Amino acid sequence: MAETTPVTVLTGFLGAGKTTLLNHLLRQPELARTAVLINEFGEIGLDHLLVEKLDDTTVLLNAGCLCCTVRGDLARVLREMLPRARRGEILRIVIETTGLADPVPILATLMTDPVAAAAYRLDGIVTMVDAVNGLAHLDTQDEAVRQVAVADRIVVSKADLADAARLRERLRALNPGAPIAEAAHGLVDPALILHAGLFDPGARSPDVTGWLNAAAFEAASGHHHHHDPNRHDARISAFCVTLNVPLDWPALAMWLEMLIASRGEHLLRVKGILNLKGHDRPVAIHAVRHLMHPPVKLSAWPADDPRTSRMVFITRDLPRAVIEDGLRAFQAAPE
């Protein structure tokens, strides 16, 4: 039994097909003994009635704002499920958010609630995008943009009903590091969306490439995408910073804490793999907005890894130059 139970966050704007995908996944052997938590918006919840696996492992969270009432509800449910997870009756948890939700508060619960942080681990954010209406949602709905920007995996639904070429281009510009899969009628290979996280203590060789996909961010940085100024994603940047020399952790930690404290509202997500002085193993970091997950020392460097420090930043209204100038100042400080 794993030391921690993986949690997959399934998000996407209204009508993207999250429930259809969830019903398909729950029929697959890879998701045996999966508990489902569903958050809805409105006074009367209906989506949970559409989930075929409605039993004692499907829980409807209270309707409301994910940043307040539901965060407490989520923490309570995770605590209640812990004994069953410890016994192996629950091997995975899937949280399906309302289409109007920003997934970041869910991550905050997993990172800050002491029980959740110790017993569960984020296995990835999966964002569904409707091929028919996806471009329109990205043009007009800020929530849809943020859902895509923080995703580890993107699934395009209804691809059999519309040409998704322009949508895929837009998605790659917004989040270069997230692999994109297409689902027709909610059908997708579970392997494409599971095990997207890095923090599996049982993994002998961490999938740094799959988690960070730093090369995709670096390649995208060399292209200048021209956005309609009315589009929300013109305000979002996604880039990777690579540092070739081993880093001093106390100084870097101080810089990260200052960045998160002063600019946290503009940091949608930060992911990194670090080569630190005095450490022979890589260290993973993960932050969302004003919160930073405790650093995780991984089992070993992957084979053929260059052992460089790579940090992916997904920011909103925060220029890349601000990050790079701060890092240069940090590097110069010990000297």
Side-chain angles (χ1 to χ4, degrees):
M1 182 175 62
E3 295 180 7
T4 54
T5 301
V7 177
T8 298
V9 178
L10 177 61
T11 188
F13 202 70
L14 297 170
K18 297 184 296 295
T19 302
T20 302
L21 175 67
L22 185 58
N23 280 329
H24 164 68
L25 291 175
L26 292 176
R27 291 193 291 266
Q28 310 309 309
E30 293 90 338
L31 276 87
R33 287 183 279 180
T34 291
V36 180
L37 309 182
I38 302 175
N39 165 242
E40 298 172 1
F41 185 85
E43 296 181 358
I44 301 176
L46 296 176
D47 282 354
H48 68 291
L49 300 179
L50 304 177
V51 177
E52 295 175 6
K53 188 179 180 181
L54 186 59
D55 52 28
D56 61 350
T57 60
T58 302
V59 177
L60 176 65
L61 300 177
N62 289 336
C65 173
L66 273 172
C67 63
C68 46
T69 57
V70 173
R71 277 192 59 185
D73 212 27
L74 174 60
R76 175 184 58 78
V77 171
L78 290 175
R79 290 168 182 262
E80 292 174 353
M81 287 186 167
L82 183 56
R84 298 180 61 193
R86 292 297 191 206
R87 294 194 298 267
E89 297 173 10
I90 294 175
L91 300 182
R92 172 179 296 275
I93 293 176
V94 175
I95 303 174
E96 180 190 352
T97 76
T98 172
L100 298 174
D102 178 352
V104 168
I106 290 180
L107 307 187
T109 299
L110 295 174
M111 292 165 61
T112 60
D113 180 80
V115 173
Y120 300 94
R121 70 178 188 275
L122 176 67
D123 190 47
I125 302 172
V126 179
T127 299
M128 295 202 68
V129 183
D130 177 354
V132 177
N133 301 303
L135 283 172
H137 289 158
L138 292 173
D139 281 343
T140 60
Q141 304 294 334
D142 186 56
E143 295 86 355
V145 174
R146 281 179 281 142
Q147 290 165 356
V148 170
V150 301
D152 295 297
R153 301 285 189 269
I154 298 172
V155 178
V156 176
S157 63
K158 308 176 187 176
D160 53 326
L161 301 179
D163 183 358
R166 287 183 57 226
L167 175 61
R168 291 174 70 95
E169 180 181 354
R170 181 85 171 272
L171 297 174
R172 280 192 293 266
L174 182 57
N175 187 339
I180 302 174
E182 291 189 356
H185 307 295
L187 302 182
V188 67
D189 184 353
L192 294 174
I193 61 176
L194 299 180
H195 311 298
L198 184 66
F199 305 116
D200 182 355
R204 295 184 179 180
S205 180
D207 184 11
V208 172
T209 300
W211 185 60
L212 283 182
N213 207 354
F217 285 98
E218 291 170 344
S221 298
H223 296 81
H224 300 284
H225 299 282
H226 299 284
H227 297 292
D228 183 329
N230 294 320
R231 292 179 179 175
H232 294 287
D233 48 312
R235 302 167 59 191
I236 290 180
S237 298
F239 56 90
C240 178
V241 176
T242 300
L243 302 172
N244 296 318
V245 297
L247 304 176
D248 180 69
W249 172 245
L252 179 61
M254 182 179 298
W255 175 77
L256 283 170
E257 289 173 1
M258 292 175 60
L259 177 68
I260 291 171
S262 61
R263 303 279 191 166
E265 196 60 33
H266 304 285
L267 295 172
L268 297 183
R269 201 169 183 193
V270 179
K271 300 194 294 185
I273 179 81
L274 305 178
N275 181 11
L276 301 179
K277 293 178 181 178
H279 294 264
D280 58 356
R281 294 189 288 165
V283 174
I285 59 171
H286 180 215
V288 292
R289 291 191 180 162
H290 291 287
L291 300 169
M292 184 169 176
H293 193 283
V296 177
K297 182 176 286 190
L298 304 180
S299 57
W301 286 97
D304 302 323
D305 191 274
R307 301 199 177 192
T308 58
S309 295
R310 286 146 282 169
M311 288 181 280
V312 169
F313 295 87
I314 302 173
T315 66
R316 180 181 176 87
D317 296 328
L318 182 63
R320 176 173 183 163
V322 173
I323 303 292
E324 293 181 332
D325 289 347
L327 274 172
R328 278 195 292 267
F330 142 74
Q331 286 181 293
E335 300 176 5

